[in-house]
Amino acid sequence: MSFDLAARLAARRTEHLYRQRPLLQSPQGPQVVVDGQPLLAFCNNDYLGLANHPQVIEAWQAGAARWGVGGGASHLVVGHSTPHHELEEALAEFTGRPRALLFTTGYMANLGAVTALVGQGDTVLEDRLNHASLLDAGLLSGARFNRYLHNDAVSLAKRLERACGNTLVVTDGVFSMDGNLADLPALARETRAKGAWLMVDDAHGFGPLGATGGGIVEHFGLGQEDVPVLVGTLGKAFGTAGAFVAGSEELIESLIQFARPYIYTTSQPPALACATLKSLELLRSEHWRREHLHMLIRQFRRGAEQIGLELMDSFTPIQPIMIGDSARAVRLSQMLRERGIMVTAIRPPTVPVGSARLRVTLTAAHSEAQVQLLLSALEECFRLLGALELDHA
């Protein structure tokens, strides 16, 4: 018996689902060089344009000069340095919670939190469209795992009736492929009524959402009693890398004791924490970034609707254009790239079969003129592709 990897790869190609890594040959930003080609990119998650900010870079350089370039050990051995501690305190203050805990990646934060809180004899309930890291965490926890209908508090309530043991309800704050928000007030109401806990992964909400960039919990005016477990990633609007979980003293101490992805990994470089402290300062003080971003979102949605594109119900920087067929989505992405525009085609299994899409992401570093270039290219590509399809019909 042997693994027939060639057949599996061939099937991926046939189904127009084969994935390849574009080679980025420039810093992140609207203007990039990918595979040797200068492109105007609308596909990264650097929502506030901080990934290449001079002050953030300077903070990293100064941090490396003082603290070195490696964490050196796990947090529980001798890898928990002063910059890590200061960043955790700043994130706790930012989220309005007693404590925050740093993780090396968002995937590890989700895996660590879920598996530390529930296990055999418990229940974990998740939105059907949750990020893969959340779904994997639920499956790996050993708890009874079930998924409720997307953003449906009634469906959640029915599953809560059948839950056993400690019950954790898990949802994305902003759904990464649709751009829509979780109905957090309704989900929190049902969860609290049954004595369960709600965990929110607000990876795409911190920065763009809320009066001060505090994310979906701030957007809805909710507190720790509504959302006891709050997860955020630092590689998106913060512009750096890593993740955190914010919550009560007891929650954070429990994660330190029981979250295996936290316990058994080397800490992130201290200099990275220095950079994130600076990006958090900019996120909180430079409100114009969020205001400019929301203006661009309105501009894009108006223009796309005038062209007749099928958008989704999103007022976040994630603006998917529904295509349906994977081959058609790939072709449109290629046509845009031929015109100097980079927009990624998202296909199954990342999204459900028949819902392939172009995933446009906007950032505060984009200009109105660049968004107009995107709209003009989209209009031309959809018109040309429609004509080609009629010719072959």
Side-chain angles (χ1 to χ4, degrees):
M1 182 178 177
S2 63
F3 293 97
D4 193 353
L5 299 182
R8 292 176 67 186
L9 293 172
R12 268 276 157 114
R13 291 183 189 276
T14 302
E15 295 161 3
H16 303 285
L17 301 179
Y18 198 82
R19 305 180 189 196
Q20 292 174 290
R21 300 180 299 174
L23 180 60
L24 180 65
Q25 297 164 300
S26 65
Q28 287 289 358
Q31 301 282 357
V32 295
V33 177
V34 176
D35 296 325
Q37 182 184 5
L39 293 167
L40 175 58
F42 290 93
C43 52
N44 72 45
N45 299 322
D46 180 27
Y47 300 129
L48 297 183
L50 295 175
N52 195 34
H53 194 287
Q55 290 183 44
V56 178
I57 294 170
E58 288 168 14
W60 190 313
Q61 291 169 334
R66 180 174 178 189
W67 299 99
V69 296
S74 67
H75 284 275
L76 292 174
V77 177
V78 70
H80 187 66
S81 66
T82 300
H84 297 135
H85 203 71
E86 290 176 347
L87 178 55
E88 287 181 344
E89 290 178 335
L91 289 167
E93 195 271 327
F94 175 56
T95 57
R97 288 161 188 251
R99 293 279 299 277
L101 190 69
L102 274 179
F103 283 79
T104 307
T105 68
Y107 208 109
M108 291 173 66
N110 285 332
L111 196 61
V114 174
T115 57
L117 292 172
V118 292
Q120 287 189 350
D122 298 325
T123 302
V124 59
L125 302 173
E126 300 207 18
D127 190 292
R128 284 187 176 275
L129 296 189
N130 273 354
H131 188 265
S133 61
L134 294 172
L135 298 175
D136 287 355
L139 290 167
L140 290 168
S141 69
R144 181 181 172 191
F145 176 79
N146 208 323
R147 294 191 287 178
Y148 58 89
L149 298 178
H150 176 51
N151 225 358
D152 190 328
V154 174
S155 174
L156 171 62
K158 290 176 181 175
R159 284 157 177 77
L160 281 166
E161 292 287 352
R162 301 192 294 271
C164 58
N166 293 320
T167 301
L168 185 66
V169 176
V170 184
T171 182
D172 275 314
V174 177
F175 291 90
S176 59
M177 292 301 123
D178 290 10
N180 63 324
L181 304 192
D183 185 1
L184 224 51
L187 298 177
R189 190 164 54 246
E190 296 296 341
T191 303
R192 290 183 69 188
K194 295 298 187 296
W197 270 22
L198 179 59
M199 170 176 160
V200 174
D201 175 11
D202 202 23
H204 299 270
F206 279 111
L209 296 182
T212 66
I216 190 170
V217 172
E218 182 182 49
H219 172 79
F220 282 120
L222 302 177
Q224 185 174 298
E225 66 280 2
D226 303 297
V227 182
V229 188
L230 181 59
V231 180
T233 55
L234 305 171
K236 298 178 174 65
F238 286 85
T240 57
F244 66 93
V245 180
S248 68
E249 179 80 24
E250 293 78 13
L251 170 67
I252 300 308
E253 282 301 315
S254 295
L255 295 182
I256 290 170
Q257 301 302 318
F258 304 114
R260 292 168 67 87
Y262 178 81
I263 298 166
Y264 298 109
T265 194
T266 300
S267 65
Q268 63 176 227
L272 172 56
C274 295
T276 306
L277 276 164
K278 175 55 69 174
S279 68
L280 175 58
E281 177 188 319
L282 294 168
L283 183 154
R284 301 188 75 175
S285 63
E286 296 188 348
H287 298 290
W288 66 264
R289 293 179 182 277
R290 200 159 40 256
E291 292 160 6
H292 177 65
L293 175 57
H294 286 295
M295 185 268 291
L296 295 181
I297 294 167
R298 290 192 296 271
Q299 177 194 354
F300 175 79
R301 288 189 68 84
R302 279 196 306 269
E305 286 164 3
Q306 288 168 3
I307 297 169
L309 305 183
E310 184 181 348
L311 298 181
M312 301 189 75
D313 183 21
S314 167
F315 61 87
T316 71
I318 302 166
Q319 292 294 320
I321 303 169
M322 288 301 295
I323 307 299
D325 178 67
S326 293
R328 193 167 191 258
V330 170
R331 181 70 188 115
L332 281 163
S333 179
Q334 290 170 340
M335 291 173 73
L336 286 167
R337 187 157 174 167
E338 289 162 6
R339 288 156 180 78
I341 307 279
M342 187 173 184
V343 178
T344 307
I346 305 294
R347 299 157 284 164
T350 305
V351 293
V353 173
S355 68
R357 64 201 65 182
L358 295 178
R359 182 180 182 267
V360 172
T361 54
L362 301 166
T363 78
H366 286 111
S367 67
E368 292 178 68
Q370 288 170 333
V371 172
Q372 188 54 53
L373 281 171
L374 169 63
L375 289 165
S376 299
L378 283 167
E379 183 174 23
E380 181 185 3
C381 291
F382 271 85
R383 186 177 66 248
L384 285 172
L385 186 59
L388 287 170
E389 289 170 342
L390 279 175
D391 288 343
H392 290 93

